[in-house]
Amino acid sequence: MKWSIPYIRAMCDPEKYRQQRWSTDQEAEMLHTLTWDHKVKNVVEIGTGYGFLTVCFAHAGANVQTFDCTDRPKVWDHAEWPWPELNAKIIAKAVPSPECFEGLVVPPGKTLFFVDGDHTEAAVENDIKLVEERMWAGDIMAVHDATGEIGPRRAWKRFAKEHPGTCLWETKNGVGIYICE
């Protein structure tokens, strides 16, 4: 399957589909590599947006359950979508957090939880708490906007202070990483 972050970006072109994309290519590359290198089998994505990172996770071989509070068009909804084989790897639902955690079933295997939903401080803290409750040893949590918007930044800073094994990717928006022991 042909892929590269520039190719995925071109296929998910915001101008072409008149959609916004909030994640940078650097963040997409880093998350794709994290998913691939850690042999992540499942991704639970809180906050789909238009699906650019969803596609990156699926391209890295993961099955993706993605949740967004808004039922907006996704890049894979378009007729020119070049990867119909990825459709079987993506389950997308218009369900806000924390409702998306109710009845959430994550198949066996290493899981990456990507938190990028509601950006209020309380909502991010709640998402982090709900994710942490579902993590097994080796699972990964990535929190987007960990150095960007004030809500995610404060929530991540508090979590990182209580969990010394965290790291922070210094990108435009910042991505906080935690691997469960």
Side-chain angles (χ1 to χ4, degrees), residues 2 23 31 59 87:
K2 182 178 180 182
S23 300
L31 288 163
H59 259 283
N87 290 357

Side-chain angles (χ1 to χ4, degrees), residues 112-145:
L112 177 126
F113 295 88
F114 183 69
V115 178
D116 193 19
D118 183 335
H119 281 50
T120 62
E121 187 174 348
V124 177
E125 279 186 344
N126 194 49
D127 286 348
I128 289 172
K129 176 181 162 271
L130 292 169
V131 164
E132 188 179 22
E133 291 171 357
R134 286 157 177 80
M135 293 180 77
W136 295 92
D139 286 351
I140 303 165
M141 178 181 357
V143 178
H144 194 246
D145 296 312

Side-chain angles (χ1 to χ4, degrees), residues 5-145:
I5 296 305
Y7 183 72
I8 293 171
R9 182 187 61 239
M11 293 297 101
C12 301
D13 181 25
E15 292 298 316
K16 182 177 184 179
Y17 298 126
R18 293 181 174 75
Q19 298 173 338
Q20 287 184 296
R21 183 169 57 83
W22 297 283
S23 300
T24 66
D25 286 359
Q26 179 189 24
E27 291 162 347
E29 184 73 47
M30 292 168 82
L31 288 163
H32 183 281
T33 301
L34 178 73
T35 304
W36 180 265
D37 287 353
H38 284 266
K39 297 174 178 52
V40 169
K41 296 210 178 288
N42 310 294
V43 172
V44 176
E45 181 183 34
I46 311 302
T48 315
Y50 294 101
F52 174 64
L53 289 178
T54 310
V55 174
C56 294
F57 293 133
H59 259 283
N63 294 306
V64 185
Q65 293 183 66
T66 185
F67 304 94
D68 200 89
C69 60
T70 306
D71 189 13
R72 58 183 138 220
K74 308 296 185 218
V75 294
W76 54 82
D77 293 333
H78 299 282
E80 298 172 32
W81 174 242
W83 305 296
E85 66 276 12
L86 289 185
N87 290 357
K89 299 181 80 56
I90 299 171
I91 298 170
K93 296 181 182 174
V95 180
S97 179
E99 289 84 14
C100 66
F101 289 99
E102 295 170 12
L104 175 66
V105 177
V106 180
K110 188 176 285 189
T111 300
L112 177 126
F113 295 88
F114 183 69
V115 178
D116 193 19
D118 183 335
H119 281 50
T120 62
E121 187 174 348
V124 177
E125 279 186 344
N126 194 49
D127 286 348
I128 289 172
K129 176 181 162 271
L130 292 169
V131 164
E132 188 179 22
E133 291 171 357
R134 286 157 177 80
M135 293 180 77
W136 295 92
D139 286 351
I140 303 165
M141 178 181 357
V143 178
H144 194 246
D145 296 312

